[in-house]
Amino acid sequence: MQHILRLFILLVGLFAGVGSYAADAAPKLTTPDDLGPQIEQPIEFPHFRHAGDAKDGGMQINCMYCHTYARRSMVAGIPPVQKCIGCHQSIESVRDKPRIKKLFEYWEAKKPIPWKKVHDLPDFVRFNHERHIQRFYFQQDRPYQEVCGYCHGDVKKMTVARRQKPLTMGWCASCHMKDHPISAHSTKTGHGPNDCFTCHK
Amino acid sequence: MSVSNLLENWSKFRHTHPVEDKGHPDWEAYPSDIKWAMAIDLDACTGCNACSVACYAENNLPVVGKEKYSHGQAMHWMRIERYWDESESGFEVDQGARFLPMMCQQCEAAPCETVCPVGATNHTEDGLNSQIYNRCIGSRYCSANCPYKVRYFNWYDYPTTKDVWPSPMNEQLNPDLSVRSKGVMEKCTFCKQRTYVARNNAKTEGRPVQDGDVQTACQEACPAGAITFGNLYDPESKVAQKWQHQQVELTKEKQDKDKTEGNRLRGYRILEELRPYPSVMYLERVRESAV
């Protein structure tokens, strides 16, 4: 009897322990459909309308028109409200749409839009947008939608962006180990750095 | 490294000079044109500790306090060592102490690298001795094997320890490198975050890294300008010229200049005879009494 009681206490303790661990655990890396979590943004920003192809009713705006810093900085950057207003103040046709009204509310209140981060890397990782854009967009002359899409997926078909790739170290390394041509006009190839210290800080 | 790999490549292991053997799989295909190195002029150093303070600020180092310091748990990546001249009558205090700024010497044949059980510390292509905090399991083997004793262990989870970064000091933590957690070894990185930016900018502009593109935090703070930092492979760089002028060579454990008697060159590297091939050259202090 004593033994059974002890076993019972042990099992209860074990389940309680595992249960409490699971409750504290960080949100899962992958959701049932294998993508990042659905994130609710303050304004449901239609990427497909801005960046999408003309045949799908998009404006084909270059990603780097709004995410300006991608080509010259570590981070791609979220555009300031000013940038949105810059165009939208002279687009009368959509002025009465609920999202645009909300946008102008932020503008008139002089408040930034509290966008939530979709592609969030851990703090110990150093990822550099500039290097990737310089390499694939400027040196290799590949289309920007393809270049940004390597990591961000087909944003031009999304409304609110959702993480498409795992963004794990193995996933980064799978590309870094491949040989890519150095530039569009060169047959020489090279691959990404494989030093731990380049990306881990 | 498996045993079979070790046996197959035995000849290579035995015959490659540690400085030539980059231990880097890409080295032959993409040799680096950068080797970060330093020169510290002890004649200029006044022992003011500004370098150490700058390092604390730049590299998110915890200030552990008096008690933990006395337990040998200080986290100063850059420390000023004091040496007193001794004579028969005791210490010569009149002349004051000799100061020696000591930080990771970024050895080419680093003793710490070979003993790490998980490969958390290894050599980068630009000649740094890297420390990967995520990989480190805290065996402290590297620290035991470091002849300079410049590796520091996180005995506590300092970010959550009271009064390490009391508000608003936590606001000044540098986002360019992580705040290390408990159980991780750390050490000077030659301000990796700064060299990274310099290399990145140079690459975007399509030019090699020039002298003066990057300054380490300690160099920037030194009021006497005692610290020179740069690319040793660039013959135009100040640090390379200093090394050359002092006839100190990276690949030698015994410098030629030391063989000639009455040599008045001041350059030397610490514990060279152990053959770690350190990347920091010191310029000896000349006392008035010795002249």
Side-chain angles (χ1 to χ4, degrees):
Chain A
M1 190 59 208
Q2 195 90 38
H3 286 297
I4 293 170
L5 192 66
R6 271 189 196 166
L7 188 70
F8 179 72
I9 290 170
L10 183 80
L11 284 177
V12 166
L14 196 68
F15 281 121
V18 170
S20 63
Y21 176 76
D24 290 346
K28 272 192 199 156
L29 271 176
T30 48
T31 40
D33 56 357
D34 228 21
L35 303 176
Q38 289 277 11
I39 289 177
E40 211 176 296
Q41 300 284 9
I43 296 175
E44 198 188 17
F45 181 84
H47 275 98
F48 72 91
R49 184 70 72 204
H50 294 84
D53 295 331
K55 64 176 165 47
D56 303 325
M59 314 288 295
Q60 292 186 331
I61 301 171
N62 190 317
C63 306
M64 283 179 282
Y65 179 73
C66 299
H67 301 285
T68 333
Y69 313 110
R71 62 176 173 270
R72 56 186 163 94
S73 163
M74 299 270 266
V75 290
I78 296 287
V81 185
Q82 206 177 5
K83 191 141 229 166
C84 310
I85 299 297
C87 292
H88 274 280
Q89 64 180 355
S90 45
I91 308 175
E92 290 295 332
S93 58
V94 292
R95 194 60 187 272
D96 294 331
K97 299 276 166 74
R99 290 168 187 159
I100 307 299
K101 273 187 180 163
K102 217 168 168 187
L103 169 70
F104 274 91
E105 274 170 31
Y106 279 112
W107 174 247
E108 270 142 33
K110 296 190 173 166
K111 289 233 167 75
I113 306 171
W115 299 110
K116 284 180 193 131
K117 224 173 169 186
V118 176
H119 294 85
D120 196 11
L121 289 171
D123 287 349
F124 53 78
V125 176
R126 183 190 286 122
F127 174 81
N128 195 337
H129 275 90
E130 179 184 359
R131 283 268 63 78
H132 292 84
I133 297 292
Q134 290 288 342
R135 178 74 184 271
F136 293 106
Y137 183 60
F138 289 107
Q139 287 172 17
Q140 292 193 10
D141 270 344
R142 297 193 192 175
Y144 62 90
Q145 289 169 332
E146 183 193 322
V147 174
C148 301
Y150 293 149
C151 303
H152 295 290
D154 217 0
V155 179
K156 67 172 191 276
K157 288 186 179 146
M158 294 179 214
T159 310
V160 170
R162 196 174 167 202
R163 184 162 57 70
Q164 306 291 303
K165 310 280 171 165
L167 306 188
T168 55
M169 185 179 124
W171 176 78
C172 294
S174 69
C175 194
H176 271 228
M177 287 193 296
K178 275 184 210 150
D179 273 336
H180 302 284
I182 297 248
S183 77
H185 318 289
S186 164
T187 50
K188 214 181 149 196
T189 60
H191 58 71
N194 60 2
D195 246 353
C196 310
F197 218 23
T198 309
C199 309
H200 283 276
K201 58 182 186 184
Chain B
M1 183 191 299
S2 68
V3 178
S4 57
N5 179 23
L6 190 73
L7 291 173
E8 273 167 33
N9 297 307
W10 185 248
S11 56
K12 203 176 157 196
F13 285 119
R14 299 296 292 175
H15 290 289
T16 318
H17 190 280
V19 177
E20 306 293 310
D21 179 14
K22 296 296 171 189
H24 216 271
D26 281 350
W27 185 262
E28 273 160 39
Y30 314 103
S32 170
D33 50 3
I34 293 177
K35 160 72 198 158
W36 300 116
M38 210 177 247
I40 300 181
D41 191 345
L42 299 182
D43 225 355
C45 176
T46 59
C48 71
N49 265 308
C51 51
S52 187
V53 173
C55 186
Y56 268 89
E58 171 75 17
N59 293 305
N60 299 343
L61 296 181
V63 179
V64 296
K66 212 170 179 178
E67 192 196 331
K68 288 188 180 117
Y69 192 101
S70 64
H71 296 163
Q73 294 167 357
M75 302 298 287
H76 43 204
W77 286 5
M78 180 91 177
R79 61 169 190 250
I80 305 285
E81 292 181 349
R82 284 180 304 172
Y83 295 98
W84 300 90
D85 287 340
E86 221 174 335
S87 69
E88 281 169 19
S89 56
F91 289 114
E92 299 255 349
V93 288
D94 296 350
Q95 279 191 322
R98 289 163 186 267
F99 299 108
L100 182 78
M102 177 53 88
M103 70 296 186
C104 176
Q105 307 282 305
Q106 313 287 355
C107 310
E108 281 290 287
C112 53
E113 285 172 13
T114 47
V115 295
C116 181
V118 291
T121 175
N122 38 47
H123 228 66
T124 68
E125 41 149 11
D126 47 6
L128 295 183
N129 178 242
S130 68
Q131 177 70 26
I132 309 303
Y133 309 122
N134 294 88
R135 187 156 259 221
C136 178
I137 56 167
S139 75
R140 315 199 313 275
Y141 228 138
C142 51
S143 173
N145 214 31
C146 175
Y148 305 98
K149 291 288 163 277
V150 285
R151 289 178 152 268
Y152 302 96
F153 188 66
N154 284 276
W155 291 96
Y156 299 90
D157 190 36
Y158 291 110
T160 57
T161 308
K162 198 174 160 269
D163 288 343
V164 169
W165 289 296
S167 181
M169 268 176 73
N170 53 349
E171 301 285 331
Q172 61 97 49
L173 289 174
N174 189 350
D176 292 340
L177 73 165
S178 51
V179 179
R180 281 76 55 186
S181 54
K182 185 177 177 176
V184 168
M185 191 59 78
E186 60 182 62
K187 63 160 196 79
C188 164
T189 60
F190 268 3
C191 285
K192 167 72 185 173
Q193 65 280 12
R194 295 184 177 209
T195 55
Y196 179 87
V197 169
R199 290 188 65 173
N200 175 58
N201 293 348
K203 205 167 178 184
T204 302
E205 288 165 29
R207 58 172 174 84
V209 175
Q210 290 158 356
D211 202 30
D213 273 0
V214 56
Q215 279 194 319
T216 60
C218 50
Q219 178 189 13
E220 209 173 10
C222 182
I227 302 174
T228 317
F229 176 78
N231 179 10
L232 196 61
Y233 287 168
D234 173 13
E236 299 293 309
S237 75
K238 275 189 194 127
V239 69
Q241 283 172 355
K242 279 197 176 177
W243 278 57
Q244 202 192 4
H245 183 248
Q246 297 295 332
Q247 295 175 22
V248 175
E249 282 177 57
L250 186 69
T251 53
K252 290 194 172 145
E253 71 262 22
K254 208 167 183 334
Q255 304 297 338
D256 292 337
K257 70 178 175 71
D258 296 335
K259 289 171 192 161
T260 51
E261 213 153 304
N263 189 305
R264 295 186 71 100
L265 290 172
R266 300 189 292 137
Y268 72 103
R269 293 187 298 175
I270 295 173
L271 297 179
E272 234 175 359
E273 65 277 15
L274 297 179
R275 284 184 278 179
Y277 305 99
S279 307
V280 182
M281 180 189 71
Y282 289 88
L283 293 151
E284 206 176 336
R285 179 163 183 191
V286 183
R287 293 278 200 187
E288 260 177 60
S289 55
V291 176

